[in-house]
Every structure is written in structure tokens, then in C-alpha cells.
Amino acid sequence: MSSIARLQTALADALTLALTPTEVPATLERELQELKKMVAAGGGGQPARDRMQEALFNFRRSWCFQGPAEARLACFGSAIRFTDREPPLIEDRSGFPRLLNAVDDYSNAPRPFRRCYKGLLHVYFLYDGENTRIPEGRSNWEDLRDYLYRRQPAIHVDGPQPDWVDAIDNNRNLLTDDPATKYAERLLEDDSNEIDRLRANLEIQQGTWLMRKLVLAQVTFACNEPDMTFRGRVKVLLDLVKKDEILANQCLALILDRYARLTDRPQNSLLLDCAISQWGNPAFQRNTPKWSWASDAARAMIGSWATLDLIRRFFEVLSEDRKTDQRRVEFWQRYHEQIDRMYFALGTSAMRSRDPDVGKLRREMGDHLLSLKHAGSPANNAFMMVMGDLVAVEFGVKGNACYLYREDNLPFFLQGIVTGETLRSDDRIARLLHKDTNAGTWEEKFASRLSKSGFRSGLPTTGRRSSRTQRP
């Protein structure tokens, strides 16, 4: 190969090497990515705790800042309780307004002011101003919200803006008393992309007040939708209720009240289970305070559903062979809207049973649960239905009659322990057998006897409504 050929080859190799991309070391690549994040965030995240504490200590001594760096530190730390001797600055009646006034001195210098603004924005999302029991904290938090809204235009500088500035520019609703409605419909459709970006850009943590507002906004939005659309969202809404203990009562009340207003409202087992789990059976007096969250219509609806459910489960879960006496279930379910209260007397087997279904039923019976003794089989149980001034006693084991009493002449108390003998007392006004005859079915015979006391299948009672729970 000639000298010229070797030179040409060497030059070609050198050119190829020069044009080949150089691999960036992994450590350098990580640093570059962190630097990009810092630039996008506009200067990094929350400062060190000791530096914020020192800045606030200095501010509380002089009520002024020694420069924008100290102002930024004080803003970020104004919701933190650093010692037991004094509250966070945001709960200081006069101290926090002084902080805002001092920060406002930088409003004509966009870059320093923007750093302070970011610290105040962090505090705004961090501090639970709506649920705090500290009046000063709530008042200062509301003032902070108004301040952030008014001063938001002052955080702009020439050139590209950090991601968090763009985020607050496009979502000023976050700085109003309705921060979450804007996102409700998309969240209900399982689209959380917008919220995920907001949380990342504004560093909003899970469990903050805004996340609760988003839950409430979805429930409120759904409750204002047409009947069929709302009915289709009930499962999703109940899942939201279960995720937030603080809002559970308020959200459940909204859902129940809306369902009670439906033109067509079939029984919803998920809604029933959630309501009973949260507040108990509305027919039980001890649960009355919890049910104050809901409307009368919602209480009546769930009470009616619960009565139907308890009648079915009494004959199903508590029967010895788990085979439901369907005729008795269907008969008494026709009178469920006329049953004021129900009490349950469980025999030895049901009281001692470790079956999960039986245990759940016992818990739901609450203070309407009685103990049944000397009723024949230990698997026997009884339930008493109070209908106006009439009390009907049914037993679980087949072959037992149904007994009717007047509530003002009961031979037993509707509490504690009852016996098979007293439940079958001669003080009854009727003893009805579950036997068909040539004259008709037992259901027809029962219905005829109940009608004499003013109770007709599927109709509102004409009998006296009683509030008595036991014989004097």
C-alpha cells in the first residue's frame, strides 16, 4: 500500500471516530437528569428543617427578613410546629399576617418573590385549613389562599417558566373555594392523568385536603347527573367512600339522599351493606345519632331494605339445614314497610356459632338481640315484629306456630332473655299455623287475621304507631 493510500485510510478512520457519539457515563447522566428536574421545578424542593426553624426564629424576633433567602425558608416552614412552646406560624393570629406582609415587599422582584410564593403554595396544600380545630389556623389559611390567588401574576419572569408555575397558571381554581370540581368528571371516568401531573408539578402529597376535595367533588358531580347515569356510578362512588374516613359520612349521606330521590330505585345490596356498615340499622334506636347525616327519605329506604334483608337472612342463615323457608320469607316481606321494629331471640346454637355469616348477623342485630332459652331444639330461634300495637312472633324451626300479641299486654320483655314458654303464652290474641287447608293457604289465613288489626299486604299501616320497646 502506498503512502498516499495509508494516509487516506488513516484520515477515514479518524473521521469515523470523530463522528461516533460518545457514551455519557451513567453517573453523569443521572446528574444531568436531576439538574433538568431542578430547573423544571424552579429551584428545588423543601429546604432542610433546621434552616427553616432558624429562619422562623429570627423572623419572630424581628418581624422582618434578613434577605430573600431567609424569607423563602420562613415561608416553607410556616406550617411546621418546631417546638411544644409555640404553634406553627400559620396558627399565630398576628404572626402569619406579618409574614405575608413581609413577603409582599419582594413582589416587585419576580425571582425572589417566586421562591417565597412556592414556599407559601407548599404550605397551602400541606396545612389542613378546612378541618383544623384551631380557628386562627383556618382564618390564616383562608387568607393565604386569597393572597396566593391575588399575587399569582407576580411570579412570572421572562423566558420559559418552571413546570409548577405553568401548572398554577392553568389551574387557578386550586386557589378558590371550589378547587376540585374541574377534575371530577374525568376522575369518574377513571382518567387521572391531569391530576397526576398536577400532583407531580406542585408536589401535592397523598392524604392532603385537596385529595379529599377531589373525592367529594366526584360524589357531588355524580349526584347531579341524570338518574340512570348516577345509578351506574354507585359502585364507584361507594369505593370512594371506603377510601376516605374523614369524608365517609358526608359522601355516604349525599349518595343515599340522591338514591332515595330516584324515580325507580331498586334495592341496591352494595349501598345497603355500606350504609349498615357505616351507621348500623336505622330501625335500631341506638343508631339514631349516626343516621342524623341522612334525610328521612334515605333512612326510610335503608330501613325498609334492611328489614327485607333481615327477614330473609333470619330464615336462611339461622335455619338448621340452611334451606330457606321461602314461603314464610315471601309472606313477611310483603309487610316489611309496616314493620316498625324487629327483635331477634337466638338459641344456644346461634349464640355460640362461629360461622362468619351468623356472626355478622349477630353484630347487625345490635341491641335488638335477645337470648332464647327452653324453646325445644337449641337450633331454634325466634324473631318478633312490632307492627303498630301488634307484635308477631315467628320461630325459625319449622313446625312452630306464629303467635300474635298486643304490645301493651306482652308476657315477655323485648330485651335480655326470653323463653319458649313465654313466647307461646296463653296471653296471645292469636295462634296461627303454617298449614294449608281445604279452605285456603296459610298465607290467606294469616293475611285475613292481620287485616283485622289494620295491616294489609303491601299497604301502609292503619294501625297505631308505637314507640314502646318493652312491657312495663
Side-chain angles (χ1 to χ4, degrees), residues 152-183:
Q152 186 267 338
I155 62 176
H156 294 92
V157 297
D158 294 336
Q161 306 299 317
D163 290 344
W164 72 268
V165 173
D166 287 336
I168 208 66
D169 278 349
N170 298 322
N171 297 274
R172 294 190 74 191
N173 54 287
L174 295 172
L175 307 177
T176 70
D177 58 4
D178 183 17
T181 299
K182 173 181 176 180
Y183 317 105

Side-chain angles (χ1 to χ4, degrees), residues 3 23-24 60 83 93 190 202 217 237 260 264 371 419:
S3 298
E23 182 179 351
V24 179
R60 274 176 153 149
T83 69
R93 183 189 301 273
D190 200 27
L202 298 177
L237 297 178
D264 177 24
S371 178
T419 66

Side-chain angles (χ1 to χ4, degrees), residues 46-62:
Q46 183 174 340
R49 181 184 176 90
D50 58 343
R51 297 186 64 201
M52 293 187 289
Q53 182 176 6
E54 181 182 4
L56 280 164
F57 176 79
N58 293 336
F59 178 71
R60 274 176 153 149
R61 285 195 307 174
S62 61

Side-chain angles (χ1 to χ4, degrees), residues 311 314-315 331-332 335 338-345 382-395 401-407 410 412 414 423 428-432 434 446 449-450 453 455:
I311 291 173
F314 176 84
F315 288 109
F331 177 80
W332 287 113
Y335 290 86
Q338 301 175 63
I339 298 174
D340 299 324
R341 302 182 310 282
M342 293 198 303
Y343 295 83
F344 305 86
F383 83 104
M384 290 75 80
M385 296 164 282
V386 181
M387 305 165 67
D389 60 358
L390 189 72
V391 177
V393 178
E394 275 275 25
F395 288 90
C402 172
Y403 298 84
L404 303 182
Y405 298 90
R406 293 200 176 278
E407 194 189 14
L410 283 178
F412 51 84
L414 294 173
L423 292 183
R428 63 183 180 261
I429 60 174
R431 178 176 179 269
L432 305 174
H434 305 85
F446 276 42
R449 181 60 188 83
L450 289 173
S453 297
F455 300 99

Side-chain angles (χ1 to χ4, degrees), residues 138-153:
R138 182 183 182 92
S139 177
N140 284 334
W141 179 81
E142 290 174 345
D143 289 344
L144 172 61
R145 180 182 64 197
D146 294 341
Y147 179 84
L148 291 171
Y149 187 88
R150 285 186 289 105
R151 286 305 194 186
Q152 186 267 338

